[in-house]
Amino acid sequence: MVSKLLDDKIKDQVKEFFGELDKPVKILFFGSNQQKCEYCSETLGLLIEIAELSELITIEEYDFEENQDVADQYNINKVPMTVIAGLNEEEIIDYGIRLSGIPAGHEFTTLINDLVMVSKQDSGLSPAIRDKLAKLENSVNLQVFVTPSCPYCPQAVILAHQMAIESKFVTGEMVEAMEFAELSNQFNVSGVPHTIINNGSGEVVGAVPESRLMGEIEKALSLN
């Protein structure tokens, strides 16, 4: 196991945020012993340290190849990938919140926000956007490409995750652009945050208000 990643000051700040936790949260981490996964052990170490800061957070570790059935259940297609799920007694509630790559730098904020949001089981979106999401009948996959040094990226990722919490049709995935360079190239990602809607049916460059992202989602769905 790698050495501790969080110092006492950061731990105290996170504990303060975790004062808002309400219901239990389950972190599911998918790594690989077979693939060359540069950030798997570091990501797992970070998640374990965070889970230790609250009794409401538990973590399960899976190997992508050895636990293929579980990976398939959560549509895991790369590592490291983290699922932030709710917990109702023993039942895991999958909101479609995914983090591909290590949530380091500014994305550490995203991870902490996700845990609080899932614990509250509330998206925090405006009534107008909630209404629009309630009318969705087709799947929406939002892949938000980020880098750890991008200060605007958490806003874009958190918005995608808010929409995932709000609608069973939406999946929101943070993708660390440098870790998954091939995927970034596939979608011509040259700046971040860059949100890809349904594998290229639509896209949004930059951090935008919820109404703008919703508009782009509706446009992308109408093109299909």
Side-chain angles (χ1 to χ4, degrees), residues 40-54:
C40 276
S41 62
E42 204 174 343
T43 303
L44 178 60
L46 177 65
L47 295 171
I48 288 170
E49 283 187 52
I50 288 167
E52 287 171 350
L53 300 178
S54 173

